[in-house]
């Protein structure tokens, strides 16, 4: 993410909803098993685009 883009991140991305078969939290790490994104297309696309660039 470019330094000037992070200021608008919250305005354009209001969250993500994921359903999963299992979620395991250990300390500050989370493992999500058999998941599906059901809402949050903007955030998912933003994540994919920033990883490509």
């Amino acid at each position: 993410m470019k330094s000037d883009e992070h200021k608008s991140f919250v305005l354009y991305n209001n969250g993500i909803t994921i359903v999963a078969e299992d979620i395991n939290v250990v300390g500050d790490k989370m493992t999500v098993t058999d998941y599906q994104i059901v809402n949050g297309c903007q955030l998912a696309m933003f994540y994919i685009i920033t990883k490509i660039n």
Side-chain angles (χ1 to χ4, degrees), residues 16-46:
I16 189 166
T17 302
I18 299 174
V19 293
E21 185 67 33
D22 186 53
I23 299 173
N24 184 25
V25 179
V26 177
D28 64 346
K29 299 197 185 265
M30 179 185 301
T31 303
V32 182
T33 305
D34 196 19
Y35 66 91
Q36 180 178 0
I37 298 174
V38 294
N39 186 8
C41 183
Q42 289 175 320
L43 183 60
M45 290 305 299
F46 177 81

